[in-house]
Amino acid sequence: MSEFLPLDMLAFAPHPDDAELYCGGTLLLLKRAGRRTGIIDLTRGELSTRGNPDTRARETAEATRILQLDYRGNLSLPDGDIANTWENRITVAREIRRLRPRAVFLPYFRDRHPDHEHTSVLVREALFAAGLRKIETTDEDGLPQEAYRPPRAYYYMLTYEFEPGFTVDISAVQEEKLAAIRAYASQFNVRTSDAEPETYISRPEFLESLNGRSRRLGFYVGGEYGEGFIPLQMMRMEPEDMLGNGKMAK
Ligand SMILES: [Zn+2]
């Protein structure tokens, strides 16, 4: 018997901090609703211009505490070289079969950072492989794992934007989400007076831009802040669900 209970939602992130930035609000809302949440980072972010793996690990632990995650893992794949190989697909599929999440977040497949794109394809293919019975894997005790494919998966939006299939109103947890992002103190909101060089994400304008997008998406759905997603699978809609909650649109 695995020491982990099945998760409700599991987010895959190329680097520690990506899940906090791009789906952290929704993870916080699920936690508030009593759901079991987790994040698996594929790398330790060792190629980051600022900080080092030790500072990143401490910052990740603090962000994990703020998000109240039930599980946080790291696959230790090489940063800058996340390859969609058979071996890596099996590694990801083993985690999916072990944690048996009801739903998964994965990065969108078109982005500024190649690692983000590669993670998208790798996780998407691993989700499929995890459901194939003839792909055999074993758990940490060497026992065979059951095939399992999460019924739901959703792409989250990174640097490049897409037209979301739906938006989650995260206004209620916006401050906590920002606290989880600020836990990565070596990465964000640092001015150049610092000893390390400025990066694309270290300037305050990066977080301002992210908040601007979140503000806009939230506004569209009648809230203050939002996170947008695209479902990986065709979403079945019951005719009754099409009627909504009867509240007038803002
Ligand atoms: Zn990243």
Side-chain angles (χ1 to χ4, degrees):
M1 181 68 190
S2 163
E3 62 184 296
F4 301 111
L5 292 168
L7 293 177
D8 291 303
M9 178 62 85
L10 173 62
F12 283 95
H15 311 103
D17 73 15
D18 285 320
E20 283 83 351
L21 287 166
Y22 303 115
C23 56
T26 307
L27 288 172
L28 277 161
L29 284 172
L30 284 165
K31 195 64 232 172
R32 270 199 183 181
R35 302 302 186 179
R36 290 176 54 81
T37 57
I39 296 174
I40 292 181
D41 304 305
L42 271 66
T43 73
R44 299 192 179 278
E46 66 270 20
L47 289 189
S48 296
T49 305
R50 304 176 56 88
N52 59 50
D54 287 341
T55 56
R56 296 300 295 269
R58 277 198 301 276
E59 292 168 355
T60 305
E62 174 62 7
T64 299
R65 189 189 63 75
I66 294 168
L67 293 180
Q68 300 171 63
L69 297 175
D70 296 280
Y71 180 76
R72 183 131 201 178
N74 195 301
L75 301 184
S76 295
L77 298 184
D79 193 5
D81 190 20
I82 298 174
N84 179 23
T85 60
W86 172 259
E87 188 188 353
N88 287 346
R89 287 199 293 279
I90 293 300
T91 300
V92 175
R94 285 184 76 216
E95 296 302 289
I96 292 164
R97 289 176 172 183
R98 184 166 69 93
L99 299 166
R100 301 177 71 82
R102 290 169 60 183
V104 162
F105 282 143
L106 70 163
Y108 190 57
F109 46 80
R110 178 85 183 96
D111 197 61
R112 168 182 176 270
H113 195 316
D115 272 352
H116 296 175
E117 294 193 351
H118 295 161
T119 299
S120 181
V121 178
L122 169 61
V123 174
R124 189 231 185 287
E125 293 197 17
L127 283 165
F128 197 83
L132 296 177
R133 293 177 61 184
K134 289 190 177 170
I135 295 182
E136 294 175 5
T137 55
T138 51
D139 66 13
E140 56 274 26
D141 300 320
L143 298 170
Q145 290 182 304
E146 257 183 69
Y148 177 74
R149 187 177 299 142
R152 298 279 169 94
Y154 305 97
Y155 289 114
Y156 59 83
M157 192 188 298
L158 297 102
T159 303
Y160 288 174
E161 303 202 348
F162 54 64
E163 186 75 29
F166 62 89
T167 293
V168 176
D169 179 352
I170 62 159
S171 312
V173 293
Q174 170 67 8
E175 285 309 312
E176 282 170 84
K177 173 180 173 170
L178 286 180
I181 293 170
R182 285 196 202 100
Y184 294 91
S186 70
Q187 303 300 305
F188 304 112
N189 267 340
V190 254
R191 280 292 181 193
T192 42
S193 51
D194 200 279
E196 293 187 293
E198 182 179 89
T199 68
Y200 184 82
I201 61 170
S202 73
R203 298 182 306 144
E205 288 83 350
F206 173 76
L207 282 187
E208 285 168 19
S209 159
L210 182 78
N211 281 335
R213 173 211 284 175
S214 179
R215 188 78 188 79
R216 182 165 47 77
L217 289 175
F219 177 76
Y220 288 159
V221 295
E224 280 186 84
Y225 294 93
E227 285 173 342
F229 301 94
I230 292 180
L232 177 67
Q233 65 287 319
M234 173 75 75
M235 298 293 289
R236 172 178 166 147
M237 179 74 83
E238 302 301 334
E240 281 294 312
D241 296 338
M242 295 171 71
L243 304 179
N245 61 11
K247 288 187 188 160
M248 192 169 80
K250 284 184 182 166

